[in-house]
């Protein structure tokens, strides 16, 4: 029922500790009591009698509230109490989050670069958790299953999903933490659960698998695959943040001859060396393009991967790409950029853009589980959910804190 008015049932006495704000008697509760207690919208079947109601009412205070990080417009976010999500469609699953993280895209949202994300939205689109409840149409998962949450929700049936463009699913795509509430909370609702969650073994490194929600498939699909990295090729990755480093790790699947990392932060460039970069360049001097040309015999690189999302780095990619090469854009651009066709019109280059489709997530899961790649190396900081504002501060000041990926325990 959707009203607090209930039949006059005679319940056995219930200790006050069961629910501090609820008293049971054969009298109807007042409207004021209904408003004070979060039981006004409990769904019950009055034909099944009182005992089931007693058990449901006893835990209502804790069941229907959770902590969540909420976006309130550019530059504003709060950690607050929100109602626990409920199944809305047959294909939904409710997942109790275990580990989540912060993405550079969340910072772009907070800058106002993503207009589809409205104030009041719970942020986050990455993480692992345990299935709490499922809709009647979910056949692959059941409560208690450990799952990886994909940053992309896909129905698997629409025109775009059938073409492998899951990011453009007509009823999904990148909606978590953007158009619907996301994973930086104790619970999250996942639409199209059968095709938007991935089972993980109970003994898996769940922190490492958080990196497979977004950054590893993003670096791989949008950078390495779109950039057509090949054995013996030359590759420059502009931006040595988490996404750029994910592209660096996965580019090594294809044995390029040169892997050049470019960034303003020497600490991140040192990490890139450890992760497999053959050369590193600090672009603060303004001579990065000349240095790349010097390393490549004056030609430039076969693949230039843009992994920042600002105009200067996109222009740098144009300056270093070789004739016949590819500029693979990963970065989230919030402002217009210049395309210098007056220089490039005759160079036979290609420019690719992409929102990750997560079509490679099963492949990447296998590579992680077989220890061919260890994305846990990207994790630098840990926080509990009640310190998520500190986590944002740490992640947002990475040049000072050395943060790459922060893990938030929900």
């Amino acid at each position: 029922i959707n009203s607090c008015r209930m039949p006059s049932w005679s319940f056995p006495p219930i200790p006050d500790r069961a629910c501090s704000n609820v008293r049971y008697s054969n009298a109807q509760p007042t409207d004021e009591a209904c408003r004070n207690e979060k039981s006004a919208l409990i769904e019950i079947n009055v034909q099944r009698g009182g005992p089931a109601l007693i058990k449901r009412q006893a835990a209502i205070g804790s069941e229907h509230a959770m902590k969540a990080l909420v976006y309130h417009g550019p530059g504003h976010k709060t950690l607050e109490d929100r109602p626990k999500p409920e199944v809305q469609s047959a294909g939904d699953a409710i997942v109790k989050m275990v580990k989540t993280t912060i993405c550079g895209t969340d910072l772009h949202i907070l800058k106002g670069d993503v207009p589809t994300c409205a104030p009041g939205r719970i942020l986050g689109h990455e993480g692992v958790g345990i299935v709490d409840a499922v809709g009647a149409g979910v056949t692959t998962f059941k409560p208690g299953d450990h799952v990886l949450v994909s940053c992309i929700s896909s129905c698997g049936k629409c025109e775009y999903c059938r073409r492998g463009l899951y990011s453009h699913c007509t009823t999904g795509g990148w909606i978590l933490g953007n158009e619907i509430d996301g994973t930086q909370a104790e619970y999250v609702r996942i639409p199209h659960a059968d095709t938007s969650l991935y089972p993980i073994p109970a003994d898996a490194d769940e922190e490492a698998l958080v990196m497979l929600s977004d950054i590893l498939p993003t670096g791989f699909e949008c950078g390495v695959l779109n950039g057509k990295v090949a054995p013996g090729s030359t590759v420059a990755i502009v931006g040595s943040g988490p996404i750029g480093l994910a592209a660096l790790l996965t580019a090594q699947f294809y044995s390029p001859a040169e892997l050049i990392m470019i960034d303003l932060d020497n600490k991140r460039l040192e990490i890139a060396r450890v992760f497999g970069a053959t050369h590193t360049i600090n672009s603060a001097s303004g001579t990065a393009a000349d240095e790349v040309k010097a390393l490549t015999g004056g030609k430039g690189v076969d693949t230039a991967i843009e992994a920042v999302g600002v105009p200067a780095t996109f222009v740098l990619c144009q300056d270093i790409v070789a004739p016949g090469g590819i500029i693979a854009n990963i970065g989230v651009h919030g402002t217009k950029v210049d395309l210098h066709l007056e220089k490039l019109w005759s160079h036979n280059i290609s420019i690719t853009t992409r929102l990750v489709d997560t079509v490679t997530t099963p492949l990447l899961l296998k590579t992680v589980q077989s220890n061919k790649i260890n994305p846990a190396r990207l994790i630098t900081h840990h926080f509990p959910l009640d310190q998520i504002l500190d986590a944002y501060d740490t992640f947002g000041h990475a040049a000072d804190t050395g943060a790459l990926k922060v893990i938030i325990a929900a």
Side-chain angles (χ1 to χ4, degrees):
I1 57 175
N2 291 330
S3 169
C4 196
R5 298 297 183 188
M6 294 183 285
S8 298
W9 292 329
S10 295
F11 294 137
I14 297 175
D16 286 353
R17 67 178 179 274
C19 186
S20 60
N21 295 326
V22 178
R23 299 293 182 267
Y24 295 88
S25 70
N26 60 3
Q28 292 182 337
T30 66
D31 287 341
E32 182 65 23
C34 288
R35 284 193 292 271
N36 290 338
E37 183 59 35
K38 296 177 181 177
S39 59
L41 298 180
I42 300 173
E43 293 183 2
I44 60 171
N45 186 336
V46 298
Q47 301 301 322
R48 294 182 180 178
L53 177 62
I54 296 172
K55 190 177 295 185
R56 180 70 172 148
Q57 287 272 33
I60 191 66
S62 60
E63 279 189 10
H64 282 252
M66 67 172 187
K67 296 292 185 183
L69 190 285
V70 181
Y71 169 66
H72 288 292
H76 300 286
K77 59 188 180 298
T78 59
L79 179 65
E80 58 190 65
D81 289 328
R82 280 296 186 91
K84 177 183 171 183
E86 298 181 350
V87 170
Q88 297 179 14
S89 300
D92 289 353
I94 305 302
V95 175
K96 184 184 189 312
M97 296 303 300
V98 175
K99 307 281 186 181
T100 185
T101 188
I102 302 170
C103 181
T105 307
D106 298 320
L107 299 185
H108 279 283
I109 290 173
L110 287 165
K111 287 168 59 180
D113 291 344
V114 185
T116 51
C117 187
R121 179 70 60 228
I122 297 173
L123 296 185
H125 50 267
E126 303 165 88
V128 295
I130 301 171
V131 175
D132 181 69
V134 296
V138 176
T139 59
T140 305
F141 301 100
K142 64 184 184 304
D145 286 346
H146 289 243
V147 292
L148 168 69
V149 177
S150 175
C151 65
I152 298 297
S153 303
S154 59
C155 71
K157 300 175 181 179
C158 71
E159 174 188 358
Y160 290 115
C161 285
R162 288 177 178 271
R163 291 165 54 190
L165 296 172
Y166 301 148
S167 62
H168 294 276
C169 174
T170 56
T171 55
W174 174 40
I175 53 176
L176 283 177
N178 178 14
E179 298 177 18
I180 66 172
D181 288 337
T183 59
Q184 290 171 10
E186 294 179 275
Y187 292 87
V188 63
R189 181 179 69 89
I190 305 296
H192 306 307
D194 278 339
T195 45
S196 304
L197 296 173
Y198 295 88
I200 58 177
D203 60 348
D205 182 348
E206 293 187 340
E207 289 191 357
L209 293 186
V210 172
M211 306 300 108
L212 272 70
S213 285
D214 183 355
I215 67 165
L216 216 61
T218 294
F220 187 44
E221 295 176 17
C222 305
V224 177
L225 296 185
N226 269 20
K228 298 183 179 178
V229 174
S233 63
T234 56
V235 180
I237 301 173
V238 181
S240 193
I243 289 290
L245 291 172
L248 170 63
L249 289 171
T250 54
Q252 293 171 69
F253 292 163
Y254 295 96
S255 302
E258 306 287 346
L259 269 171
I260 305 165
M261 294 295 291
I262 303 171
D263 202 276
L264 294 167
D265 188 337
N266 283 326
K267 293 179 182 177
R268 288 190 165 187
L269 291 174
E270 290 172 9
I271 294 170
R273 281 277 192 177
V274 174
F275 282 15
T278 58
H279 302 87
T280 57
I281 296 172
N282 190 312
S283 56
S285 64
T287 61
D290 293 334
E291 293 181 59
V292 170
K293 292 290 182 67
L295 290 171
T296 57
K299 295 182 296 184
V301 295
D302 300 312
T303 302
I305 297 175
E306 199 287 329
V308 182
V310 297
T313 51
F314 187 73
V315 170
L316 178 56
C317 286
Q318 297 173 56
D319 292 339
I320 63 177
V321 67
I326 298 173
I327 297 174
N329 183 84
I330 304 178
V332 178
H333 291 270
T335 59
K336 70 179 184 66
V337 300
D338 292 328
L339 176 60
H340 290 287
L341 283 177
E342 75 279 7
K343 298 178 181 178
L344 297 173
W345 69 270
S346 62
H347 283 205
N348 295 53
I349 69 160
S350 299
I351 299 174
T352 65
T353 67
R354 186 172 186 172
L355 178 58
V356 64
D357 293 298
T358 66
V359 291
T360 62
T361 300
L363 178 155
L364 292 170
L365 271 167
K366 292 177 182 177
T367 63
V368 171
Q369 290 169 356
S370 62
N371 297 315
K372 300 297 184 184
I373 189 172
N374 181 16
R377 298 162 71 190
L378 294 164
I379 300 168
T380 56
H381 293 74
H382 294 77
F383 296 88
L385 181 62
D386 61 8
Q387 294 178 18
I388 192 170
L389 295 177
D390 294 332
Y392 263 92
D393 187 61
T394 297
F395 186 69
H397 295 88
D400 299 321
T401 63
L404 290 175
K405 290 297 283 186
V406 300
I407 289 291
I408 300 161

